[in-house]
Amino acid sequence: MTFKKRVINIHREAIQQAEKIAEDKINILNTAIAEAGKHIEVTYLKKFSEDFITYTTEKILSDNKRLKDLNLSSEKVLNLLDIDLKNLYELQLLFEENQTKILFDKDGKPFYKIDKNDFTRFTKNEEENEKIEAIQTLIDAFEGMEKHIHIYKGGIAPLTSNMLRYDLRMNDWVINEMFFR
């Protein structure tokens, strides 16, 4: 018989937190686009996301070639045009601090992809699969009994030496991973 890994636990709160962090990064990008939009039109979002300041500065310089011909540095050109990119720089720092990887679809729209397997604990051998099978049988028995009598799910943890508990907030059973080390 070949071993097939089974799910011990899915850390839903961690997944939600990762999604929130990814959404925050996209919101920072959108704020940066609005900030840069005061001076330029952002046409290549992926390139803009790689370096807000460089993209914006290059676009301003290309739009003002007459000043570039005077052999001035990019900082001098920005000063002459009275353009301050300090807010954009701060957004760039926030964007880079967030380690979430942002992807872009074929239309250039940003999105994120959270791999739920990164937040899921799986069994490693057949013995752990047998434990999961026994725990699932117990859960099925409690839920079957609940059709006939009220089960105080909060009292299950001491009954099972804390191997199994019911999370009232998430309304789901939680298996203690300490029993799988």
Side-chain angles (χ1 to χ4, degrees):
M1 182 157 87
T2 61
F3 168 72
K4 183 179 176 191
K5 66 181 181 178
R6 294 183 60 182
V7 173
I8 297 173
N9 254 344
I10 299 172
H11 298 280
R12 289 178 183 87
E13 289 179 357
I15 293 170
Q16 291 170 347
Q17 181 67 21
E19 289 172 343
K20 182 187 177 311
I21 291 170
E23 288 169 5
D24 288 347
K25 187 164 186 171
I26 290 176
N27 289 337
I28 292 169
L29 178 62
N30 290 332
T31 304
I33 292 167
E35 183 67 28
K38 294 175 183 176
H39 311 291
I40 62 164
E41 180 184 351
V42 178
T43 51
Y44 298 107
L45 201 53
K46 186 174 188 331
K47 187 174 180 185
F48 176 76
S49 71
E50 292 169 3
D51 191 346
F52 302 163
I53 300 295
T54 303
Y55 181 90
T56 304
T57 304
E58 287 175 358
K59 200 93 178 215
I60 290 170
L61 291 176
S62 69
D63 290 347
N64 296 286
K65 290 185 183 201
R66 66 189 190 295
L67 292 175
K68 189 178 179 185
D69 293 340
L70 296 175
N71 214 15
L72 300 172
S73 69
S74 57
E75 291 172 14
K76 296 245 185 207
V77 171
L78 292 175
N79 284 336
L80 281 172
L81 295 172
D82 199 28
I83 296 175
D84 183 15
L85 298 180
K86 186 176 123 186
N87 291 341
L88 196 60
Y89 176 73
E90 290 173 7
L91 289 169
Q92 178 76 44
L93 292 178
L94 287 173
F95 187 79
E96 290 173 354
E97 283 176 8
N98 188 323
Q99 296 299 312
T100 306
K101 184 171 172 83
I102 298 294
L103 306 169
F104 295 89
D105 63 14
K106 62 182 178 198
D107 298 327
K109 185 175 170 135
F111 69 97
Y112 61 89
K113 197 175 210 175
I114 303 296
D115 185 5
K116 294 185 182 4
N117 286 335
D118 292 343
F119 303 96
T120 303
R121 173 95 190 269
F122 295 98
T123 57
K124 296 183 185 111
N125 54 43
E126 197 58 46
E127 180 184 339
E128 289 182 354
N129 276 355
E130 289 173 14
K131 282 183 186 179
I132 289 292
E133 189 70 35
I135 293 169
Q136 190 59 50
T137 301
L138 183 62
I139 291 170
D140 292 342
F142 284 133
E143 289 178 352
M145 288 174 54
E146 198 169 36
K147 294 175 187 171
H148 307 290
I149 61 169
H150 179 72
I151 302 290
Y152 292 95
K153 294 177 181 176
I156 301 297
L159 182 69
T160 61
S161 300
N162 258 356
M163 181 168 55
L164 177 67
R165 69 178 172 84
Y166 193 78
D167 187 343
L168 295 171
R169 193 169 37 93
M170 298 295 280
N171 201 25
D172 198 11
W173 294 99
V174 178
I175 299 171
N176 187 345
E177 294 179 18
M178 296 300 293
F179 288 88
F180 292 90
R181 291 190 179 185

